[in-house]
Amino acid sequence: MTSKNETGPLNAPTLSKEKASSPLSEAWTKFRANHSAMVGLFVLVLIMLGAIVGPLLYPTDPFELVWRPFSPPGADGFLLGTDYIGRDLVAQMLVGARVSLVVGVAAAIVTILIGVAVGALAGFYRGWVEEILMRITEFFQVLPTLLFSMVIVALFGASLLMITLAIGIVSWPAVARITRAEFLRIRELEYVTASRAAGATPAKLMLKVILPNALPPIIVQAALMTGSAILFEAGLSFLGLTDPNVMSWGQIIGSNREFILQSAYTVTIPGIAIFVAVLAIALVGDGLNDALNPKLRQR
Amino acid sequence: MDVLRITFLRIVYSALLLAAVVVLNFVMIHLAPGDVADTIAQSMGGADAEILAQIRADYGLDQPFIVQLGQYIWKVLHFDLGSSYYYNRPVTELILERLPATLLLVITAQTLALVIGVVTGVFSARRPNGFLSHLVTIVAFFGHAAPVFWTGILLLIAFSLQIHWFPVGGMRDVTVTGGFWAHSFDVARHMVLPVFTLSTTFLALYSRLCRASMMETLGSDYVRTAKAKGLPMRSVVYKHALKNALSPVITLAGLQFSAVISGAVLVETVFSWPGLGTLAFQVIVARDTPTILGILFFSALIVIAGNLLTDLVQRLVDPRVRTGQ
């Protein structure tokens, strides 16, 4: 995240060089021992592989009408069947995975960037800066998230970029609060006072001294945000507030919604995909939380 | 500090927050490319510049931005949210007509989620490795990961289309005759699936938090003292521990209001529930600016009122908050 993190984000204060196994590898050992987190990671990697390689191996155009509508899964050589106008569901699912994952990750990045910037400034400078920034944060927490992003997407154009920004704009307050709390705690620690006395500039103090130690809860939050951004994107495309030329899991559900009597599978299958993806991310997030939280690590 | 003064300050602050919401929404909508004149022109199949200018003049859109903003704020202060372009009716009337349905859905779902969440949370805290405890964890993951509209559609397929226990959508059956109770029963029947769908998202959240906070409280010194002086376990759990364990759950529930409304928009769409969510969807697509602004205003109002209420409840329940500690 920072341009120079040669020490590694989790690496800052190590006392003795001989004994120190890097905290990063320590966290990985801890993470690896967590079965549900590893299952989540495995499933997540599978989904990502499917999203990256899938459309290359299965080159059917997800928008092309290839067969009669409502052909059930397995029949006529279509593994997952066809949708309400006869498009291949496998192709839609594979291409949809790309959109859902990319929007999820990108929106999480936007969320984290805004949230960390606001939270770091508020927690570092305190005083009136904190006062103003936290009031703004509260203000954004009052806005009804989905309605507000619906309006943004409907008015400013339903492109993936706009959807990503809209999700980021409504989601950052939680991250800002967590970052601020961490900064408030860490800025009082002695090593920070030492760096300050050694003449570190505020920017250096924030980015290189405090931020690396504030990262663990932010990383966990980033994982959780990716999951909820995927759900968010699915909700928006379910409502039809999305780029009609882009296929996503939520859009498959939204467009087939009227026909659930004829073809429940067109709704069930993409729903399961969203569910499994978000669940996998949540398990990884839980695992990260256990692995990165120093208090839990001591047990 | 006394409760009245703090409450008064909170209300003033909330009003300021609401004013900021009004201004931001107004600015945002005016920054957006295109306006209602374009939408009308589009539905007429195109119009020339003269007609567009005429439409803008009719709706007061030719005025400078600051004048429009001033006029809007002045009207809002007089409880006038303007007139809907799409429905040709006062926005306030339109929204107040839909608001009760949304409130009914949101409040019932929140209450249900809280009650079930707290009850299962308390029980699983007493047996952290019991069956219920594991069930709660599983349900929690499900509630977190399943898209709420998808849960709704699945329930709809299962309970309305397959086994016909509940109606497919809407809020009332026009063919129902009879008195108040017959109608209430009818609405209740329509409510079951939407309310259940909406509460699944939050239920597990409350349950998990209540379980964690209950376990922490049960391990604290004063609970041990209460046990040591021979109080029956039931009284220790419900009279001593629960009061303290509830505090974080109430805080969380207050913070969830915005998320509950977001969920309600999706759930209303799935079950064609005649509330603000379905209205919002129509008017957002139609670019009916006054109604969009009105809905954003009212939903922010609900969230703020919810927060305020949570704050008050918190002060009443928890003496530590009351004294400003």
Side-chain angles (χ1 to χ4, degrees), chain A residues 135 138 145-146 154-155 239, chain B residues 13 150 258 262 281 284 287 299:
Chain A
R135 288 294 95 87
E138 265 171 43
T145 46
L146 185 69
L155 295 189
L239 292 171
Chain B
Y13 176 63
W150 181 65
S258 163
S262 297
F281 182 66
I284 286 175
R287 295 198 141 225
S299 40

Side-chain angles (χ1 to χ4, degrees), chain A residues 9 11 27 79 129 147 150 158 164 169 174 202 216 229-230 242 263 267 273 285 293:
Chain A
N11 232 349
L79 191 60
V129 177
L147 276 178
M150 279 166 73
T164 307
I169 289 173
I230 289 176
T242 181
S263 59
V267 170
N293 191 334

Side-chain angles (χ1 to χ4, degrees), chain B residues 60-76:
Chain B
L61 296 172
D62 52 348
Q63 310 261 6
F65 169 72
I66 283 294
V67 176
Q68 288 187 46
L69 176 63
Q71 281 172 346
Y72 186 72
I73 292 176
W74 182 249
K75 281 196 327 198
V76 170

Side-chain angles (χ1 to χ4, degrees), chain B residues 96-178:
Chain B
L96 288 180
E97 203 177 276
R98 303 283 198 120
L99 190 64
T102 296
L103 283 181
L104 184 66
L105 180 65
V106 165
I107 293 175
T108 320
Q110 265 277 44
T111 315
L112 186 76
L114 262 174
V115 169
I116 299 183
V118 167
V119 169
T120 53
V122 168
F123 275 106
S124 52
R126 295 186 62 182
R127 281 188 196 79
N129 283 313
F131 169 73
L132 189 69
S133 194
H134 290 301
L135 186 71
V136 164
T137 313
I138 293 170
V139 174
F141 273 118
F142 186 88
H144 171 77
V148 63
F149 57 91
W150 181 65
T151 317
I153 294 175
L154 290 191
L155 291 173
L156 195 69
I157 294 176
F159 292 101
S160 300
L161 300 177
Q162 301 290 340
I163 55 176
H164 306 286
W165 280 5
F166 300 109
V168 178
M171 186 172 159
R172 287 199 171 82
D173 190 342
V174 280
T175 60
V176 167
T177 52

